[in-house]
Amino acid sequence: MEELEQIAEALKVPTISAEWLGANLNLLGIPNLTQLPPSTRLFFPQDAVLVIDCENEPCTGPGRAIQEHYPDFPG
């Protein structure tokens, strides 16, 4: 969630929703999440564990989704 705020700030738009970028999980309180190396394991209460695989590279799909929500902002 923190990185979505940084993206919105960089694009000068009010907000970016995770689902616009194809995310299926929203995480809060993990600084620099996309900088964690592959195979990093995140352990959560009640035995949930997530394994970092890799960062999604930028692509045009999320860009189009963001543009659809902010048609008055330049591409």
Side-chain angles (χ1 to χ4, degrees), residues 40-65:
T40 297
R41 285 167 171 67
L42 303 173
F43 293 86
F44 295 90
Q46 300 180 343
D47 300 324
V49 179
L50 297 177
V51 178
I52 303 296
D53 182 27
C54 63
E55 178 183 0
N56 287 342
E57 295 298 322
C59 63
T60 57
R64 282 193 297 269

Side-chain angles (χ1 to χ4, degrees), residues 3-16 70:
E3 290 181 353
L4 292 174
E5 291 176 13
Q6 293 171 354
I7 293 168
E9 185 178 305
L11 294 175
K12 297 178 177 37
V13 296
T15 189
I16 301 289
Y70 298 110

Side-chain angles (χ1 to χ4, degrees), residues 16-50:
I16 301 289
S17 291
E19 55 271 11
W20 302 351
L21 309 180
N24 54 14
L25 290 173
N26 289 335
L27 300 174
L28 180 66
I30 303 173
N32 303 309
L33 178 65
T34 57
Q35 303 303 312
L36 294 175
S39 298
T40 297
R41 285 167 171 67
L42 303 173
F43 293 86
F44 295 90
Q46 300 180 343
D47 300 324
V49 179
L50 297 177

